[in-house]
C-alpha cells in the first residue's frame, strides 16, 4: 500500500502525534485480540488477499489456524466446531469467490442452528459502492444477509471489539446460527493507540443466556404427558447441542417414556438403551398419542408432523425449543415449551415426582417387541461376509468398530451410505454422530472430520459415499498435513446411488456413474497418508480397526457391489418422476 494512502487512512481514524512515543495497534491485532478475549482458540480458513497476514499473525498470537484447500470445507469445519463446543466456530476467507464458497457453509450452519462466524475480507467500500470494478469487487454484506442469522460490517478499527462481540452474541444466543462479519481490507492496517485499542475490546458476558419456561407452560405439558396412553419423546440435534445430557437422561429414565433420536441426537442416550424406540420408528410415530419434541423440528425429516408416517390416530405435540416462532410451524403445538433445553428439562424433571406414573406397560411392550423383531430381522444381513460387499455387510463391520470405540466420532454422508449407516451403526455417547443434517447436504464430510478431530482430539471415522466424498475430497491433503486421526472409508460403488447407469445413446458414461474401479486409497498415499483397498467385510473391519488404533490419516477404499444401492437412498420419493414415456 502506498505511503500517501496509508497516511490518509490513518488520518481518517486517529490523529497520531508523530512526536509522541506512542504504542500502536492495528486492525489485524484488534481482530485477533477480540477473538482471543472471547475464548476463540481456533480459526478455520483459506488464506489469500486481504487476510493472509491475519492468519499468520493469529498463529503467532497462539490461535490455532487450520488452512484448508477450499472455503466450503473450512466453513463446514467451523460450523461443526460450533455444534460440538457451543462456541461459534470461526471461518476466515478472502473476498468475493472465497466469501461465496464459505457462504454455502454459513447458510448450512444457519439452517442447522450451528453457531458460526464467517469472517471475510472485502474490497474497498468506496469502489464497491460506486461499482468501479475493484479486485474481487462484491457487496458481500448485502449478499450474506438473507443467508444467515445476522451480518455486520466494521469500518473503523475502534469498532472491531463491538463488531466481534455482536457477531459472537448473535451466533450463540437464542437459536444458534451463522453470522457474517465483513472486514474491508483497509480496516486491517488502520492504526490506533494501543491502550485505546485494548479498551475498545468487549468480552461477551453470558453469551447464551438461559431462558426459563413459564410455570404455566410446564403445567400444560405435564398435564398432557400424564394423560397420555402412548407417549413418545423425540430428541433432535438441538438436544445434543444443548449439552444437557444428564438432565435429558434423567427425564427419559424417570418418566419411562420411549424415546426416538433424530440422526445427530443418536447417542444422547445410547442406541442400545432399553427405552430406545429407534428400531421401531414407524410404529412409534404412527401409534404415539402425545409426542414431546426436544430440540427437533417438525420439518421434512419428520414428515411435517402429518401424513402416512404419523398414521391416522389423533396426536398432540409438546415442543421444547428456544425459538418461539418454531411453534405451530407445521401442525398445532398443544403445549409449547419455549426455553433452553437444559432449563426446560430441569423444570420437567422437578415434576416427575411421586405422583408420576410410568406409561402404560402395553405401549412400552409394543415398542419393545417391534424393536426386537426388527433387530433380529436385520442381524443376519449384517453378518454376511459377502464379496462384493453390499451396504449391510460393510456397515455390519463398521457397527462393531464403533461399538468397540464408543468415544470415536462418526461423520457420515452419502445416499444409501448415509441412510443405512444411520440405522445400522449404534451410537453410544452424545455428539458422536455428525452428518448431512437439515438440508441432507453432500459435501460436509472432510470439513466435519477435520473440525471434529481438531476440536475433540478423538479419533474420527468418516463413512462416505464415493459421490459425497468427491465434494470435499481434496481435504485429504489437509488431514495429512495436520496429521489428524481421521479414518475415511469410501463406500465405492462406482457412482451416485448405484454404479450401473448407461447413456442410452451410447455416447458418454451414464450421468450418475464414475470411473469404475477407482482407487481412492491412492489419493491418500499421494500425501503421505495410509491407503488401503478392501473387498470383504472382514478386511474392512481389520483395516478400520488398525487405522483407528494407529491414529494415522488413512483412507480405505471399500468396494461395494455397484448394483447394491437404491435411487436416492431412503428419500427416492422426493425425486420427481417424468410423466413422459421413455423413448425406446
Ligand atoms: P433434528 O434435525 O435433529 O430434528 P432440528 O435441527 O430440526 O433437529 O431442530 C433443532 C432445534 O433445536 C431448533 O429448532 C433449535 O431452535 C433448537 N435448539 C437449539 N439449541 C437449543 C437450546 N439450547 N435450547 C432449546 N432449543 C434449542
Ligand atoms: Mg456411490
Amino acid at each position: 500500500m502506498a505511503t500517501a494512502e496509508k497516511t490518509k487512512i490513518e488520518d481518517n481514524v486517529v490523529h497520531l502525534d508523530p512526536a509522541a512515543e506512542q504504542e500502536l495497534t492495528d486492525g489485524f491485532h484488534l481482530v485477533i485480540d477480540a477473538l482471543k478475549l472471547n475464548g476463540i482458540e481456533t480459526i478455520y480458513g483459506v488464506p489469500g488477499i486481504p487476510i493472509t497476514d491475519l492468519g499468520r499473525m493469529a498463529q503467532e498470537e497462539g490461535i490455532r489456524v487450520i488452512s484448508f484447500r477450499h472455503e466450503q470445507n473450512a466453513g463446514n469445519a467451523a460450523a461443526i466446531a460450533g455444534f460440538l463446543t457451543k462456541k461459534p466456530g470461526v471461518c476466515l476467507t478472502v473476498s468475493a469467490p472465497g466469501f461465496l464458497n464459505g457462504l454455502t457453509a454459513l447458510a448450512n450452519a444457519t439452517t442447522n442452528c450451528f453457531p458460526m462466524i464467517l469472517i471475510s475480507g472485502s474490497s474497498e467500500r468506496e469502489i464497491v459502492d460506486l461499482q468501479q470494478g475493484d479486485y474481487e469487487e462484491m457487496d458481500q454484506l448485502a449478499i450474506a444477509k438473507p443467508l444467515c442469522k445476522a451480518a455486520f460490517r466494521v469500518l473503523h478499527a475502534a469498532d472491531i471489539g463491538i463488531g466481534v462481540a455482536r457477531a459472537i452474541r448473535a451466533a450463540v444466543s437464542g437459536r444458534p446460527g451463522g453470522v457474517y462479519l465483513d472486514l474491508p481490507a483497509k480496516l486491517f492496517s488502520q492504526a490506533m493507540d494501543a491502550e485505546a485499542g485494548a479498551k475498545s475490546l468487549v468480552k461477551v458476558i453470558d453469551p447464551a443466556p438461559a431462558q426459563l419456561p413459564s410455570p404455566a407452560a410446564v403445567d400444560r405439558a405435564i398435564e398432557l404427558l400424564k394423560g397420555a396412553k402412548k407417549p413418545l419423546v423425540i430428541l433432535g440435534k438441538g438436544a445434543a447441542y444443548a449439552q444437557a445430557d444428564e438432565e435429558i437422561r434423567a427425564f427419559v429414565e424417570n418418566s419411562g417414556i420411549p424415546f426416538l433420536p433424530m440422526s445427530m441426537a443418536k447417542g444422547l442416550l445410547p442406541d442400545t438403551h432399553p427405552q430406545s424406540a429407534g428400531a421401531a420408528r414407524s410404529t412409534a410415530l404412527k401409534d404415539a398419542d402425545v409426542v414431546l419434541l426436544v430440540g427437533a423440528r417438525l420439518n421434512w425429516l419428520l414428515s411435517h408432523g402429518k401424513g402416512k408416517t404419523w398414521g391416522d390416530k389423533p396426536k398432540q405435540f409438546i415442543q421444547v425449543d428456544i425459538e418461539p416462532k418454531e411453534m405451530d410451524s407445521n401442525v398445532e403445538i398443544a403445549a409449547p415449551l419455549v426455553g433452553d433445553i437444559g432449563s426446560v428439562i430441569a423444570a420437567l424433571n422437578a415434576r416427575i415426582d411421586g405422583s408420576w406414573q410410568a406409561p402404560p406397560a402395553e405401549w412400552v411392550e409394543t415398542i419393545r417387541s417391534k424393536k426386537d423383531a426388527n433387530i433380529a430381522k436385520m442381524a443376519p444381513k449384517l453378518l454376511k461376509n459377502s464379496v462384493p460387499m453390499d451396504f449391510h455387510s460393510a456397515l455390519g463391520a463398521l457397527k462393531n468398530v464403533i461399538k468397540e470405540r464408543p468415544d470415536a466420532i462418526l461423520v457420515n454422508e452419502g445416499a444409501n451410505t448415509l441412510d443405512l449407516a444411520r440405522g445400522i451403526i449404534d451410537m453410544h455417547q452424545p455428539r458422536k454422530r455428525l452428518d448431512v443434517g437439515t438440508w441432507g447436504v453432500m459435501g460436509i464430510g472432510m470439513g466435519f472430520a477435520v473440525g471434529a478431530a481438531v476440536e475433540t482430539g478423538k479419533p474420527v471415522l468418516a463413512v462416505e459415499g464415493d459421490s459425497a466424498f468427491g465434494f470435499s475430497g481434496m481435504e485429504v491433503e489437509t488431514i495429512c498435513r495436520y496429521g489428524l486421526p481421521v479414518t475415511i472409508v469410501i463406500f465405492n460403488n462406482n457412482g451416485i446411488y448405484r454404479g450401473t447407469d448407461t447413456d442410452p445413446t451410447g455416447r458418454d458414461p451414464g450421468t450418475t456413474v464414475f470411473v469404475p474401479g477407482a482407487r481412492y486409497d491412492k489419493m491418500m498415499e499421494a500425501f503421505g497418508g495410509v491407503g488401503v483397498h478392501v473387498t470383504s467385510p472382514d478386511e474392512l473391519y481389520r483395516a478400520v480397526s488398525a487405522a483407528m488404533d494407529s491414529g494415522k490419516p488413512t483412507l480405505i477404499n471399500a468396494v461395494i457391489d455397484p448394483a447394491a444401492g437404491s435411487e436416492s437412498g431412503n428419500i427416492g420419493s422426493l425425486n420427481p418422476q417424468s410423466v413422459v414415456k421413455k423413448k425406446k
Side-chain angles (χ1 to χ4, degrees):
M1 192 179 282
T3 320
E5 198 186 341
K6 194 165 180 181
T7 313
K8 196 177 82 197
I9 295 163
E10 287 170 0
D11 277 354
N12 280 346
V13 179
V14 58
H15 296 279
L16 302 169
D17 175 2
E21 280 275 317
Q22 198 175 15
E23 208 185 314
L24 295 181
T25 186
D26 61 14
F28 284 115
H29 289 92
L30 287 166
V31 171
I32 293 161
D33 292 346
L35 293 173
K36 277 176 70 174
L37 181 67
N38 285 289
I40 305 289
E41 290 159 0
T42 309
I43 294 175
Y44 301 90
V46 178
I49 296 172
I51 50 94
T52 316
D53 270 349
L54 186 63
R56 286 196 187 108
M57 292 177 199
Q59 194 170 45
E60 194 179 305
E61 298 291 332
I63 292 185
R64 191 154 192 216
V65 182
I66 308 288
S67 289
F68 285 70
R69 305 298 294 260
H70 190 287
E71 292 85 354
Q72 191 178 118
N73 306 319
N76 284 327
I80 211 63
F83 171 73
L84 290 168
T85 65
K86 294 184 93 174
K87 281 197 285 191
V90 172
C91 174
L92 183 62
T93 81
V94 303
S95 36
F99 154 78
L100 287 173
N101 287 343
L103 201 51
T104 303
L106 187 71
N108 188 51
T110 307
T111 300
N112 281 282
C113 316
F114 300 159
M116 166 185 173
I117 301 172
L118 176 69
I119 301 180
S120 296
S122 59
S123 4
E124 306 313 340
R125 293 292 342 135
E126 295 84 345
I127 305 180
V128 174
D129 290 348
L130 277 171
Q131 299 171 34
Q132 293 172 313
D134 203 357
Y135 166 72
E136 295 190 350
E137 175 180 304
M138 177 173 277
D139 189 357
Q140 296 170 193
L141 186 70
I143 290 165
K145 253 182 203 162
L147 296 170
C148 58
K149 196 178 161 193
F152 306 102
R153 176 186 292 133
V154 181
L155 291 177
H156 301 293
D159 292 332
I160 287 173
I162 287 292
V164 169
R166 297 211 72 186
I168 290 172
R169 196 177 281 283
V172 296
S173 62
R175 169 182 279 176
V179 174
Y180 175 60
L181 189 60
D182 192 76
L183 303 183
K186 265 187 196 172
L187 178 76
F188 294 115
S189 48
Q190 274 182 29
M192 76 182 277
D193 174 68
E195 208 185 306
K199 279 201 191 121
S200 73
L201 300 182
V202 175
K203 185 165 167 64
V204 183
I205 309 296
D206 194 12
Q211 209 170 302
L212 273 64
S214 78
V218 176
D219 286 346
R220 200 182 291 122
I222 289 288
E223 282 320 302
L224 258 184
L225 281 175
K226 282 187 167 170
K229 298 270 177 310
K230 300 176 173 182
L232 177 69
V233 174
I234 298 183
L235 301 171
K237 60 177 161 328
Y241 173 79
Q243 296 193 17
D245 307 342
E246 287 316 309
E247 290 286 5
I248 290 170
R249 176 189 277 272
F251 174 76
V252 170
E253 291 184 345
N254 295 337
S255 71
I257 303 173
F259 72 93
L260 193 63
M262 299 299 287
S263 190
M264 283 177 63
K266 276 165 68 81
L268 202 43
L269 281 91
D271 284 329
T272 51
H273 193 284
Q275 282 169 262
S276 168
R281 188 177 193 271
S282 311
T283 304
L285 293 181
K286 270 201 189 72
D287 292 354
D289 60 354
V290 173
V291 178
L292 168 63
L293 299 156
V294 184
R297 286 170 285 186
L298 282 174
N299 54 19
W300 70 282
L301 289 158
L302 282 170
S303 308
H304 305 282
K306 50 202 172 196
K308 264 205 325 240
T309 309
W310 291 88
D312 43 21
K313 303 199 184 73
K315 317 242 172 245
Q316 286 182 298
F317 289 97
I318 305 167
Q319 184 160 25
V320 183
D321 206 292
I322 201 156
E323 175 56 65
K325 291 200 297 287
E326 188 57 38
M327 305 299 154
D328 313 314
S329 58
N330 286 271
V331 296
E332 180 185 286
I333 301 300
L337 275 168
V338 175
D340 73 279
I341 285 165
S343 302
V344 174
I345 301 297
L348 293 178
N349 279 339
R351 303 289 298 274
I352 310 287
D353 49 19
S355 71
W356 180 265
Q357 288 191 334
E362 198 195 332
W363 169 237
V364 174
E365 184 50 33
T366 304
I367 301 260
R368 203 189 53 78
S369 61
K370 185 77 202 167
K371 175 172 119 177
D372 289 349
N374 284 344
I375 291 173
K377 207 165 102 194
M378 177 80 86
K381 289 193 202 170
L382 305 182
L383 290 173
K384 265 200 318 205
N385 195 29
S386 53
V387 178
M389 291 186 272
D390 57 21
F391 288 94
H392 285 88
S393 57
L395 288 167
L398 299 183
K399 176 190 173 114
N400 292 332
V401 171
I402 291 294
K403 189 174 166 192
E404 289 155 10
R405 292 168 191 77
D407 67 340
I409 292 181
L410 178 70
V411 172
N412 188 201
E413 62 177 335
N416 295 281
T417 305
L418 173 88
D419 291 330
L420 293 168
R422 182 172 49 226
I424 291 170
I425 303 181
D426 287 330
M427 302 311 297
H428 308 272
Q429 293 179 12
R431 294 171 294 282
K432 299 297 186 191
R433 187 186 155 82
L434 311 174
D435 68 25
V436 302
T438 305
W439 268 348
V441 69
M442 297 297 119
I444 50 87
M446 296 305 102
F448 278 15
V450 171
V454 167
E455 296 293 332
T456 69
K458 303 277 184 215
V460 175
L461 173 62
V463 179
E464 301 272 316
D466 50 348
S467 155
F469 173 71
F471 290 90
S472 66
M474 191 63 209
E475 303 299 345
V476 294
E477 189 274 330
T478 308
I479 291 167
C480 290
R481 182 164 21 105
Y482 290 93
L484 298 172
V486 175
T487 302
I488 305 155
V489 174
I490 311 278
F491 275 19
N492 187 355
N493 65 349
N494 292 352
I496 303 172
Y497 311 132
R498 305 158 64 87
T500 52
D501 262 10
T502 53
D503 173 357
T505 69
R507 183 172 52 192
D508 287 320
T511 54
T512 60
V513 303
F514 299 141
V515 170
R519 292 290 299 272
Y520 292 94
D521 47 315
K522 307 258 187 209
M523 282 177 72
M524 203 62 162
E525 289 173 358
F527 302 108
V530 180
V532 191
H533 177 73
V534 302
T535 56
S536 76
D538 281 351
E539 275 176 359
L540 176 63
Y541 171 80
R542 283 199 301 272
V544 178
S545 303
M548 294 188 77
D549 291 344
S550 78
K552 286 194 192 122
T554 305
L555 191 154
I556 297 161
N557 185 53
V559 179
I560 304 285
D561 183 353
S566 64
E567 176 86 7
S568 301
N570 271 356
I571 53 173
S573 60
L574 298 180
N575 245 357
Q577 301 291 311
S578 170
V579 295
V580 178
K581 284 216 182 86
K582 255 192 187 165
K583 282 194 211 127
K584 276 275 172 309

